[in-house]
């Protein structure tokens, strides 16, 4: 057992991914089941429908594997801590969710995920399963709009998976599902900041350094560099900085537009701070004429030990709004 | 005694030593990834090589050389995940495939393995030399081995290992275009790529086995 | 502005309670409204029904005030950080939720809450409003079963408020509502542990000390002393220790009993650890013959900066199970 | 010059000084509560006294003495919340009520205020001497003031303030029966109760005003 300086309640730090997976299967109370080595799949799947498969590395719970459920994803392929799932896990999950109508892979834009899901797709195609892929790249600060393929996927994945999950309950073809998922991605942008570094359970070491008097503006969910470091500041100062970056991006936001506004905590930032940030952000959204159709405040996209927040905006058109309003349930996000 | 060529069982023995070398290098590899990425590269390689060792040990004596390499690649690919699972898995799988039918592993085999390996990786991942990835060690090692097919295996292996180190050193001055480091821009400078470092460990351990 | 060493994203540390309250009102997206000085009340209330009012100090978000919503509480009276709401706030909330059928006060057993809600009740009675009170005292480690009136209210308040909230949607008299809420309390027990101290925003200082190599077993949600300190240990070692304390208490748990099992994080403990603890706990519950009707894993009862977890068990009889299965929605807990 | 009795406006002036003394003592009071409770006692008292000052300043000149005290109590009760909002609010409200109709504040008024105040607190909170609460300072101060009604006000106030300190000191050896500290058991020993400490600050500031 390696040392673990982060004072976490775990067992063998090298077995965290396997053990949290076993816990997750139990958390679904019999509604989802373990498949193969490390996939989780709903027991009741809508017959003859295209499937929605999500996935990614562990250590960011409850995403992605906590987003499986009615009105959310059909299943998830789960990797090790901070590591995309290997191709054979992608394959086992693909086979289990497929109902003859093909499978949509929906995941965040990281080299490892792209490589492994692509390898998994090749294996699945060999088994005669049609696969389509939509990659989530909502992180505004990771590349300019002209280089969107370089953008990471961060907290915006929650509204995207919710919308795609609703679509998976209603559409009949993989093409339609992929179209809507891609639209949800195209309509979603996020900007995050970090105040305290994360850690990997196996080492317990902070994965990056951040002085006490600075905030990483535009940082990714592993602490990847963003726009730069800014002096530690108040919620009232920070909210407009984040929103300015969102407004400056290429998602057009006009007066009258309806949005989902998601304030995510990276895990060690508490709800009190999310509420105080929401108080700072809402008047700015309103001043721009945006109508918040739904607010989400939660820690759904996290990183071990890390503190920080992100704002995500998803612009709803009529189709997305209809899908948004459908109920969903999962370990990570539930809506009546 | 330095070995001028290896039997398939010796290749297996060599790869077991490669695995141990990577496992021992875990802290160094993770540290390198902490500077540029998410700090888990050593852990992933350790996981992959631990699974690889098990797989290698299960192989029957006399398993063909190409299968020895590709078994390690398969084990890495399916146990690691992450970018390096796909990259290093492809490396050993594609590299191994090039040795189909070969009964001994010599300087030409080394060159063949390294060339097919890096080509497989480039095809899979799309990175080229200069992008600050494992390719920056893989490519010079393959080139050097191609120039060294006339040399005895111990010398060829040493030359390839040195080229890998030079490649890793060169990666310090590059700005990453792939993986998690790609958003760091100039923040990359001065740090070697973690995957390139793994290649130096792998080729160093191969050389050590061949020379011992 | 006082110093705040905890690196929190806030504004004036002395205004946190007011500002998080304003954020909370926004988080309800128009479904609940601000009342008076610092109360929050649902806009749509079931006509001619007894009302459910919860409340307590701030700084433990999302409880209590995040538990307002359909199928949950009708309103909440909110205090300052770690301070029960003053009587006039209790009164303003009481008047706003009352629909002529009286109001049930449901809150955790702390001196300040009892004193202030009692004062509020006296003021309400002067206004002709009938008030009943049910006090939540689920914290097994704060006093022996023979001195239940000394027990604190901790994470068990979530299932209790959920059940009382469902009752408030279905029963017609205050007496019935109080009876069911009291039954929910009587059927609920919790045991918590802490690994890292909390802090008060106004000072940023840790509110208690805890060495790196120990866990506070049975600690309350402000760090109040419990059974004692134990050496830092693994999840597999900790889960049985917590469950043993729950099983040794006076809530009879027999083979075949159905329960709600709630694993709560105090806020800085991440979901990964909750999942690994659930994996350790479930086989022990099953070995005792208990049937988990629903698992909840979340950080709903928190304390600024504090790390730690608690297990809560609510035993469901037929009546409570029927109530449990009704849907509910709130900022803090939602169920389809 | 020491004051043998106070007009209602002087009472108001005295309570404004009491408020400032509590506000200045915030760190010490919070620290005391950190040892036994949740560390916010000073903050709550500060909040209550800040609201109290505002309320006092709004009072018209000549507001009756009982109303001056109970205005402070009401302001504390409705701004603080928490245990001490109810306790200290009740103290000033109940204590003030006992002075209804009095036009000057003298040694007898002090005794009347302290007795009615602590009785109101006991009735509200149920704590008695020995339970390690504010009552442990309130009760001896009330008793001492009752014995001192024949003394000039400055001496009576000093005696009551001293008794409050002795009560706070005595609380160090008590095991808490109320409030958050009640689960600490022997862990309480050695630490004075935070609310009792507030009483010493309040009575100390009253004495200082009267003696100055
Ligand atoms: N497209 C690519 N081609 C070659 N190597 C790559 C590529 N993408 C990433 N890598 C290698 O993978 C290494 C990171 O591996 P690892 O840390 O295990 O994965 P992850 O980035 O998923 O955490 C990088 O240092 C780099 O050498
Ligand atoms: N029943 C009671 N009677 C008298 N004083 C009490 C009672 N309960 C609590 N107190 C006083 O309140 C103080 C704590 O006040 P404070 O910290 O402001 O409230 P809280 O406990 O709500 O955080 C204790 O130190 C004690 O003196
Ligand atoms: Mg990784
Ligand atoms: Mg990495
Ligand atoms: Mg308090
Ligand atoms: Mg206190």
């Amino acid at each position: 057992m390696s040392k673990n300086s982060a004072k976490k309640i775990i067992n063998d730090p090298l077995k965290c991914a396997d053990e949290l997976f076993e816990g997750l299967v139990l958390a679904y109370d019999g509604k989802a089941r373990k498949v193969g080595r490390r996939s989780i799949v709903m027991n009741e799947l809508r017959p003859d429908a295209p499937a929605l498969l999500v996935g990614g590395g562990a250590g960011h719970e409850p995403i992605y594997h906590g987003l499986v459920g009615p009105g959310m994803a059909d299943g998830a392929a789960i990797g090790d801590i901070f590591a995309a799932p290997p191709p054979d896990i992608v394959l086992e999950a693909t086979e289990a969710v497929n109902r003859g109508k093909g499978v949509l892979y929906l995941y965040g834009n990281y080299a490892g995920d792209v490589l492994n899901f692509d390898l998994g797709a090749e294996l699945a195609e060999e088994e005669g399963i049609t696969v389509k892929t939509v990659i989530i790249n909502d992180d505004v600060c990771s590349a300019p709009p002209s280089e969107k393929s370089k953008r990471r996927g961060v907290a915006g994945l929650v509204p995207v998976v919710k919308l795609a999950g609703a679509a998976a309950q209603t559409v009949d073809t993989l093409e339609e599902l992929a179209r809507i998922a891609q639209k949800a991605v195209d309509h979603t942008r996020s900007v995050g900041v970090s105040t305290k570094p994360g850690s990997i359970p196996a080492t317990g070491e902070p994965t990056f350094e951040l002085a006490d008097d600075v905030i990483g503006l535009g940082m990714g969910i592993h602490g990847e560099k963003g726009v730069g470091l800014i002096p530690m500041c108040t919620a009232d100062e920070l909210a407009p900085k984040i929103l300015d970056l969102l407004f400056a991006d290429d998602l057009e936001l006009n007066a009258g537009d309806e949005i989902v506004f998601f304030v995510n905590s990276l895990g060690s930032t508490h709800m009190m701070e999310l509420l105080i940030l929401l108080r700072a952000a809402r008047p700015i959204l309103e001043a721009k004429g945006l109508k918040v159709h739904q607010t989400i405040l939660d820690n759904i996209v996290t990183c071990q030990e890390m503190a920080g927040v992100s704002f995500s905006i998803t612009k709803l058109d009529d189709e997305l709004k209809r899908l948004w309003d459908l109920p969903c349930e999962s370990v990570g996000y539930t809506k009546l | 005694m330095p070995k001028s060529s290896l039997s398939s069982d010796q290749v297996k023995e060599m790869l077991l030593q490669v695995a141990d070398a990577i496992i021992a290098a875990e802290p160094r590899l993770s540290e390198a990834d902490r500077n540029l990425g998410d700090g888990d590269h050593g852990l992933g390689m350790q996981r992959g090589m631990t699974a690889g060792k098990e797989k290698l040990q299960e192989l029957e004596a006399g398993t063909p050389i190409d299968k020895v390499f590709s078994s390690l690649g398969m084990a890495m690919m399916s146990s690691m995940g992450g970018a390096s699972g796909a990259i290093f898995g492809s490396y050993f799988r594609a590299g191994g495939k090039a040795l189909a039918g070969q009964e001994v592993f010599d300087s030409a085999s080394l060159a063949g393995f390294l060339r097919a390996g890096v080509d497989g990786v480039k095809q899979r991942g799309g990175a080229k030399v200069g992008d600050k990835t494992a390719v920056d060690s893989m490519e010079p090692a393959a080139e050097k081995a191609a120039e060294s097919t006339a040399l005895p295996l111990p010398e060829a292996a040493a030359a390839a290992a040195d080229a890998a180190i030079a490649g890793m050193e060169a990666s310090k001055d590059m700005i990453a275009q792939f993986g998690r480091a790609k958003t760091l821009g100039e923040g990359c400078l001065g740090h070697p790529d973690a995957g390139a470092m793994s290649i130096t460990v792998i080729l160093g351990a191969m050389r050590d086995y061949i020379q011992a």
Side-chain angles (χ1 to χ4, degrees), chain A, chain B:
Chain A
M1 188 162 143
S2 353
K3 105 176 152 52
N4 171 42
S5 59
K7 201 175 184 188
K8 293 177 84 68
I9 305 172
I10 56 176
N11 296 305
D12 184 340
L14 293 176
K15 298 216 174 106
C16 283
D18 284 322
E19 294 191 350
L20 74 86
F21 169 63
E22 289 174 30
L24 185 68
V25 174
L26 295 169
Y28 277 101
D29 287 324
K31 285 179 207 141
R33 68 181 192 285
K34 173 182 175 175
V35 165
R37 206 144 53 93
R38 216 193 277 140
S39 298
I40 191 156
V41 172
M42 285 301 288
N43 284 327
E44 281 180 32
L45 293 172
R46 184 177 150 233
D48 292 323
L52 178 64
L53 182 70
V54 297
H60 305 287
E61 287 67 32
I63 67 139
Y64 275 90
H65 21 292
L67 299 183
V68 171
M72 297 289 285
D74 295 312
I78 305 163
D80 220 292
I81 302 292
F82 293 178
D88 51 329
I89 291 184
V90 173
L91 177 63
E92 76 195 15
T94 305
E95 290 177 325
V97 293
N98 182 44
R99 278 144 281 158
K101 292 285 188 92
V103 180
L104 180 70
Y105 291 175
L106 182 63
Y107 57 84
N109 193 22
Y110 294 94
D113 295 276
V114 176
L115 288 165
N116 285 283
F117 274 96
D118 279 358
L119 280 161
E122 289 168 23
L123 298 174
E125 304 273 1
E126 283 170 24
E127 304 296 321
I129 302 174
T130 311
V131 170
K132 281 190 169 285
T133 296
V134 169
I135 295 179
I136 303 172
N137 56 358
D138 55 309
D139 187 2
V140 163
C141 294
S142 46
S146 57
E147 297 178 79
K148 276 223 188 93
S149 68
K150 284 195 176 177
R151 286 189 173 179
R152 302 177 291 247
V154 288
L157 69 92
V158 175
V160 168
V161 171
K162 155 61 181 119
L163 288 165
Q169 295 301 312
T170 47
V171 304
D172 291 318
T173 66
L174 184 58
E175 287 66 30
E176 265 294 276
L177 179 55
R179 179 187 64 77
I180 292 169
Q182 186 62 55
K183 191 204 258 188
V185 170
D186 293 340
H187 281 228
T188 300
R189 297 290 184 282
S190 303
V191 168
V193 303
S194 174
T195 51
K196 291 180 201 163
S199 77
I200 300 186
T203 63
E205 299 292 334
T207 52
F208 59 96
E209 275 161 37
L210 202 58
D212 268 356
D213 55 355
V214 295
I215 295 180
L217 183 63
M219 261 198 177
I221 60 172
H222 310 84
E224 301 97 330
K225 204 184 149 186
V227 172
L229 299 177
I230 56 169
M232 179 67 194
C233 63
T234 64
D236 284 354
E237 289 160 352
L238 186 59
K241 288 204 171 77
I242 298 178
L243 287 174
D244 280 350
L245 288 166
L246 284 168
F247 292 162
D249 206 52
D250 69 339
L251 175 65
E252 255 191 63
L253 292 167
N254 299 312
D257 282 345
E258 294 195 76
I259 62 169
V260 172
F261 186 57
F262 173 29
V263 181
N264 178 61
S265 156
L266 281 163
S268 291
T269 297
H270 284 227
M271 179 66 102
M272 182 183 89
E273 290 156 271
L274 304 188
L275 291 165
I276 292 176
L277 276 165
L278 177 63
R279 172 188 166 279
R282 275 288 289 267
I284 304 173
L285 296 173
E286 273 153 31
K288 208 177 154 71
L290 299 176
K291 194 168 161 273
V292 178
H293 181 64
Q294 171 130 26
T295 304
I296 310 175
L297 290 183
D298 210 343
N299 48 342
I300 312 184
V301 180
T302 73
C303 180
Q304 297 307 310
E305 310 305 303
M306 198 165 163
V309 296
S310 59
F311 290 175
S312 300
I313 288 179
T314 299
K315 180 164 108 173
L316 300 174
D317 63 6
D318 286 346
E319 180 179 47
L320 293 181
K321 189 174 168 188
R322 218 166 34 242
L323 291 166
W324 185 268
D325 286 340
L326 296 176
C328 66
E329 185 171 50
S330 65
V331 168
Y333 181 65
T334 297
K335 180 184 150 16
L336 211 60
Chain B
M1 214 181 69
K3 305 171 186 72
S4 57
S5 75
L6 308 183
S7 69
S8 74
D9 288 350
Q10 285 178 309
V11 166
K12 179 165 106 179
E13 214 173 19
M14 175 178 74
L15 292 182
L16 285 168
Q17 287 193 18
V18 164
D20 286 332
I22 285 282
I23 292 167
E26 183 278 316
R28 194 152 63 90
L29 299 171
S30 289
E31 167 70 24
D33 193 32
R34 248 197 309 279
N35 292 323
L36 296 174
D38 56 355
D40 63 354
H41 181 65
L43 296 165
M45 292 298 288
Q46 182 180 51
R47 198 161 64 232
M49 287 297 186
T50 305
K53 272 176 78 172
E54 254 177 56
K55 187 70 168 274
L56 289 171
Q57 273 150 352
E58 281 167 12
L59 292 181
E60 285 172 23
T63 301
I65 289 176
D66 62 323
K67 289 272 171 307
V68 176
F69 277 105
S70 63
S71 297
L72 175 60
M74 273 307 289
M76 291 181 80
M77 190 175 280
S78 83
S79 63
M80 290 172 64
S84 48
I87 294 300
F88 287 81
S90 297
Y91 192 56
F92 285 104
R93 283 181 71 194
K97 256 190 206 162
L99 306 183
Q102 297 195 14
E103 304 205 338
V104 294
F105 184 86
D106 56 18
S107 298
S109 322
L110 178 67
F113 166 77
L114 293 177
R115 169 52 49 211
V118 66
D119 285 351
V121 166
K122 281 152 104 177
Q123 202 188 328
R124 174 55 54 198
K128 51 187 195 321
V129 169
D131 289 346
K132 199 169 185 123
T133 71
V135 168
D136 289 304
S137 272
M138 292 170 172
E139 183 64 41
E143 281 168 16
K144 188 52 114 185
E147 292 164 19
S148 313
T149 48
L151 297 180
L153 180 59
E155 284 169 45
D162 287 346
I165 291 173
M168 175 192 77
E169 290 294 331
S171 78
K172 289 185 184 168
D173 301 329
M174 297 171 187
I175 293 181
Q177 301 297 331
F178 280 83
R180 297 186 199 278
K182 72 175 176 237
T183 54
L184 287 177
E186 310 225 316
C188 288
L189 295 176
H191 300 290
D193 175 67
M197 190 181 285
S198 277
I199 292 295
T200 68
V201 174
I202 290 166
L203 293 186
M206 285 172 67
R207 173 203 58 212
D208 291 348
Y209 177 84
I210 290 168
Q211 291 190 341

